[in-house]
Amino acid sequence: MANEDDLKADPATVGIWAKGWALTRQVAAPVFEHGAYRIEVGLPDQKRRHLFPAYSGHVLEHAEAIREPFVFLKVCAPAQTVGLNLPRRWHIGPPGYMMLLSGEMVGQDASLPDGYSFSREELGAGVTLLNILDGGGEIAATGRIAFPGELAVYDRIRTHENHRRRGLGRALMKQLERLSHENGIRHAALVATPDGRALYQTLGWQLHSPYTTVLIPPEA
C-alpha cells in the first residue's frame, strides 16, 4: 500500500473544490495567483486563505511575505513537508484530509431517530443548507453542499456534541448525497478532520491527499 504522505492532489480537483468551498461560505470566488487559490474570507478570525494544490516554492514565498495573523495557508501536502523552512512565526494546525467519492456511498439511506427531522434551505448560487432538527426545533446536525462543476462539494458538516452517536452524521451525508444525485452529480469532494475521515471512510470516501493548515497565531 502506498504511503499516504506520497499522495498528490489533482490540481483540477482542488480548483473545483476551492470554488465549491467559496460558494458554501458565500464569499467571492477564488483567484489563482502565485501557485495558490486566494480566497478572501473576510472574517475576524480568518481574513483570507491561500490554497495550494501542491507544495512548491510558492508556499515559502507566501510564508515569508505574510506577517499578519488570521491569514491561512492551506497546502495539499503532509505537515512535515509544509513545515520545512517555515519562518518560526508560523504554526502547523490540526491535520486535515482531502477526500473524494466516486459513485454512491456505502449503505442505504439512513433513517432519522424518532424526534428528528430534516430542514432544507437554498442559499442561492447552487448551494443548499441541510439541517437535522431535534424535537424542540434546535439544530442537531448541519451540512452544506455546492455544485461548482462536475463535483459536489460537501462542507461545514457537523453534529453537535450532545446529539452524537445517534447516526445523525451518516443520515445527513446520505441525504446530501440524494441532493447531489438530483443534480446529476455522482462524484464529490470534501476536506475532513480526523474524526470526520473515520466516518466518511465507512461510507466509501477515499483519501485524495493530506491537507495541511499553517497560520500565524495572534500572539505572534
Side-chain angles (χ1 to χ4, degrees):
M1 180 179 294
N3 188 324
E4 291 183 354
D5 289 344
D6 294 334
L7 295 173
K8 306 295 184 184
D10 172 57
T13 296
V14 176
I16 296 171
W17 179 84
K19 292 177 184 177
W21 189 92
L23 284 171
T24 66
R25 305 294 171 126
Q26 299 182 285
V27 298
V31 175
F32 190 78
E33 57 185 17
H34 307 299
Y37 291 94
R38 173 176 54 82
I39 305 177
E40 298 293 337
V41 184
L43 296 175
D45 60 352
Q46 185 176 177
K47 296 176 182 177
R48 76 183 61 84
R49 56 170 52 193
H50 301 273
L51 169 62
F52 300 83
Y55 182 80
S56 71
H58 290 297
V59 176
L60 187 56
E61 290 173 6
H62 278 74
E64 290 175 339
I66 297 169
R67 294 185 173 273
E68 59 182 318
F70 307 125
V71 177
F72 290 65
L73 307 184
K74 307 277 186 172
V75 190
C76 295
Q80 60 266 32
T81 299
V82 178
L84 290 174
N85 302 317
L86 279 178
R88 293 185 64 181
R89 61 183 176 273
W90 290 91
H91 288 206
I92 301 288
Y97 309 94
M98 181 165 284
M99 305 187 73
L100 300 182
L101 177 72
S102 181
E104 295 189 9
M105 291 190 213
V106 174
Q108 302 296 317
D109 285 357
S111 59
L112 291 175
D114 290 344
Y116 290 93
S117 61
F118 286 111
S119 172
R120 173 177 170 178
E121 179 182 353
E122 302 302 324
L123 300 180
V127 181
T128 299
L129 166 65
L130 185 66
N131 292 323
I132 297 177
L133 307 180
D134 66 12
E138 298 296 321
I139 296 174
T142 186
R144 298 184 181 200
I145 192 168
F147 305 103
E150 62 266 28
L151 285 174
V153 174
Y154 292 58
D155 189 37
R156 307 186 79 168
I157 309 296
R158 183 187 174 200
T159 300
H160 292 275
E161 188 171 356
N162 57 335
H163 295 280
R164 292 176 182 170
R165 304 187 188 284
R166 303 180 188 181
L168 299 186
R170 180 178 292 270
L172 180 74
M173 291 295 290
K174 292 294 290 184
Q175 190 70 9
L176 288 171
E177 179 184 49
R178 179 178 292 182
L179 299 181
S180 179
H181 291 178
E182 289 175 0
N183 282 269
I185 297 177
R186 292 181 176 269
H187 299 274
L190 57 76
V191 168
T193 64
D195 286 346
R197 176 186 175 181
L199 167 63
Y200 306 141
Q201 284 181 323
T202 67
L203 292 170
W205 291 72
Q206 301 293 319
L207 177 65
H208 185 56
S209 78
Y211 184 85
T212 298
T213 296
V214 294
L215 67 156
I216 301 175
E219 62 271 17

